[in-house]
Amino acid sequence: SSGINAEYGAKEVVETALKNGVNYIDTSPWYNNSERLLGEVLSHINRNKYVISSKCGRFYSDDILEWFDFSYDRITESIENSLKLLHCKYLDICFCHDIEFAPTMEVVT
């Protein structure tokens, strides 16, 4: 299946990059399965060998195509989910994802 080949290729790219000195990785729950795939690769690599950032505030919902929620509870939930998928104890950086496109300031509380 091309999905399996794509996942293998993505993992190989990350492993090769890390072996060749790249040490900063940026991801997001918004980027499909990137956190899960990165977590599979990173779980075998010493955590002090890379810097990782993810994002919060923008996510998929079954009812709404583009959903924004920058509330404390949603940000906390997003970070916890990212840590679980990435097999990490902490993120070095967490960005508010596309906060400038949030439809109203009401979602930024």
Side-chain angles (χ1 to χ4, degrees):
S1 158
S2 63
I4 292 171
N5 290 337
E7 284 191 14
Y8 174 78
K11 291 177 190 177
E12 191 173 67
V13 166
V14 173
E15 289 170 347
T16 300
L18 289 168
K19 286 177 186 173
N20 287 286
V22 172
N23 69 343
Y24 175 65
I25 301 165
D26 178 64
T27 187
S28 169
W30 189 251
Y31 305 156
N32 296 319
N33 292 318
S34 69
E35 290 184 328
R36 181 184 58 79
L37 292 171
L38 283 169
E40 291 174 14
V41 173
L42 299 176
S43 65
H44 305 290
I45 297 172
N46 191 323
R47 180 60 180 88
N48 68 359
K49 298 291 184 189
Y50 59 89
V51 173
I52 191 159
S53 64
S54 191
K55 298 170 187 70
C56 62
R58 187 172 188 183
F59 60 95
Y60 289 105
S61 170
D62 290 336
D63 339 351
I64 302 169
L65 180 60
E66 293 186 30
W67 187 258
F68 295 89
D69 184 348
F70 296 96
S71 67
Y72 175 84
D73 289 341
R74 183 63 187 148
I75 288 172
T76 301
E77 179 183 353
S78 180
I79 292 170
E80 288 172 354
N81 288 339
S82 292
L83 292 173
K84 182 179 176 182
L85 290 168
L86 291 165
H87 302 284
C88 290
K89 292 183 180 180
Y90 63 92
L91 295 172
D92 295 288
I93 304 166
C94 184
F95 295 103
C96 289
H97 200 168
D98 292 338
I99 195 168
E100 69 275 22
F101 299 119
T104 66
M105 288 306 291
E106 291 173 11
V107 298
V108 183
T109 57

